[in-house]
């Protein structure tokens, strides 16, 4: 959806019968509130509820809506005594999806793909001390944790990590409009439209309008637009 059309739709949802009540919004403010709305929408879809098949991949609808945000990146670093700690997570990282690792043993040249399960940092020591659940090259299983904006893949001195690939949901690309002036007076260097499908863009604009209505104390518009955006999720 073109930026000029997205901004026009935002005004239409806010103005009362073309009364121009909200014409005092600056161009950069319109883009900023749409950026905030699309981030809120993304976080809500990723959280979801598995009970109602509303998690990030619990239905074909969610897969179709969110696959555009999936990224794959190889994370490099070095093996330590008990774990492999990666470099910092990508700057556009939003939410963890999975880690795929390739491992080897010093006494064996054969490399092997290892299933890696994300666990909480609090549970890591318990799992490492459990013979049936601890990292095992033979069974092709290990655990990982998120710590200090990095991924720790636990090896328990049983094997070494050769390659680590992170699948993650990235942040949605922020809107930029070459016809707008930024809040600091600078000009955008490139154009960036809403990258989601037009039907999702409509939902995001409804949510953006509800944010503006709430900020400006328009309770009627806020409730109406909020119900519309929630109903469409």
């Amino acid at each position: 959806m073109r930026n000029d059309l997205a901004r026009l739709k935002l005004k239409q949802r806010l103005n009362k019968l073309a009364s121009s009540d909200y014409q005092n919004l600056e161009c950069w403010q319109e883009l900023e509130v749409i950026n905030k709305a699309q981030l809120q929408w993304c976080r809500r879809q990723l959280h979801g509820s598995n009970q109602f098949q509303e998690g990030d991949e619990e239905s074909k609808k969610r897969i179709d809506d969110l696959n555009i945000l999936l990224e794959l990146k190889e994370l490099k670093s070095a093996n330590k005594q008990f774990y492999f700690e990666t470099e910092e997570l990508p700057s556009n990282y939003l939410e963890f999806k999975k880690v795929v690792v390739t491992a080897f043993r010093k006494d064996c040249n054969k490399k092997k793909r290892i299933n890696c399960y994300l666990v909480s940092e609090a549970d890591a020591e318990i799992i490492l001390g459990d013979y049936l659940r601890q990292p095992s090259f033979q069974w092709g299983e290990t655990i990982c944790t998120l710590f200090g904006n990095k991924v720790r893949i636990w090896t328990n001195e049983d094997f070494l990590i050769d390659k680590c690939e992170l699948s993650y949901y990235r942040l949605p690309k922020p809107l930029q409009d070459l016809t707008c002036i930024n809040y600091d007076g600078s000009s955008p260097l490139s154009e960036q439209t809403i990258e989601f499908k037009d039907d999702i863009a409509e939902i995001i604009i409804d949510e953006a309008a509800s944010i503006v209505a709430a900020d400006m104390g328009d309770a009627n518009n806020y409730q109406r637009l909020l119900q519309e955006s929630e109903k469409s999720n």
Side-chain angles (χ1 to χ4, degrees):
M1 181 181 291
R2 301 193 321 269
N3 283 338
D4 58 345
L5 180 57
R7 290 167 51 211
L8 176 62
K9 285 178 176 289
L10 176 64
K11 291 188 180 87
Q12 284 180 321
R13 282 156 178 75
L14 288 167
N15 288 331
K16 303 170 185 176
L17 298 176
S19 62
S20 299
D21 282 357
Y22 291 90
Q23 291 298 328
N24 57 339
L25 283 176
E26 297 285 348
C27 180
W28 66 266
Q29 291 175 314
E30 295 169 358
L31 297 181
E32 190 275 336
V33 75
I34 294 174
N35 286 331
K36 180 178 180 179
Q38 70 174 355
L39 180 58
Q40 287 185 177
W41 179 85
C42 289
R43 291 182 63 88
R44 195 164 60 246
Q45 306 316 302
L46 291 171
H47 179 265
S49 170
N50 288 347
Q51 179 181 356
F52 300 104
Q53 292 194 323
E54 292 178 347
D56 61 322
E57 287 191 339
E58 287 297 311
S59 69
K60 289 188 291 184
K61 179 182 177 183
R62 285 290 187 267
I63 294 173
D64 193 46
D65 288 350
L66 298 170
N67 74 86
I68 191 174
L69 298 178
L70 280 172
E71 294 273 338
L72 179 67
K73 179 178 174 59
E74 181 178 353
L75 297 179
K76 301 182 182 296
S77 194
N79 287 280
K80 299 189 178 182
Q81 184 175 3
F82 296 105
Y83 56 82
F84 173 93
E85 186 172 78
T86 70
E87 60 186 309
E88 289 194 353
L89 297 172
S91 59
N92 65 346
Y93 173 88
L94 176 60
E95 185 166 306
F96 181 92
K97 186 59 184 175
K98 69 173 182 178
V99 161
V100 176
V101 298
T102 305
F104 66 96
R105 274 178 167 164
K106 290 183 178 180
D107 58 355
C108 178
N109 292 325
K110 184 178 179 180
K111 296 178 182 178
K112 183 176 183 179
R113 285 172 66 91
I114 303 290
N115 293 324
C116 187
Y117 306 101
L118 179 68
V119 302
S120 67
E121 184 68 25
D123 290 338
E125 291 299 327
I126 298 173
I127 294 173
L128 293 173
D130 187 335
Y131 177 76
L132 297 177
R133 301 167 67 194
Q134 62 187 213
S136 169
F137 185 81
Q138 179 181 357
W139 296 107
E141 290 187 350
T142 188
I143 60 170
C144 64
T145 58
L146 295 176
F147 189 91
N149 204 35
K150 299 177 181 179
V151 181
R152 283 184 176 178
I153 302 166
W154 294 86
T155 58
N156 221 22
E157 296 186 292
D158 188 47
F159 53 87
L160 297 172
I161 302 296
D162 177 65
K163 185 178 181 180
C164 168
E165 289 184 322
L166 170 69
S167 293
Y168 67 99
Y169 288 102
R170 62 169 173 80
L171 292 166
K173 295 176 182 177
L175 270 65
Q176 296 188 76
D177 193 326
L178 292 175
T179 66
C180 291
I181 301 298
N182 294 327
Y183 71 94
D184 58 0
S186 63
S187 298
L189 300 177
S190 61
E191 182 90 2
Q192 176 60 55
T193 59
I194 298 177
E195 58 182 321
F196 298 101
K197 300 177 298 179
D198 282 353
D199 60 327
I200 299 175
E202 294 281 357
I203 299 170
I204 290 170
I205 292 169
D206 278 346
E207 183 147 341
S210 73
I211 293 171
V212 176
D215 288 346
M216 294 187 172
D218 187 345
N220 291 333
N221 251 342
Y222 169 70
Q223 289 296 335
R224 177 180 64 83
L225 293 164
L226 185 62
Q227 288 172 6
E228 285 298 316
S229 64
E230 289 180 346
K231 184 169 62 178
S232 303
N233 287 333

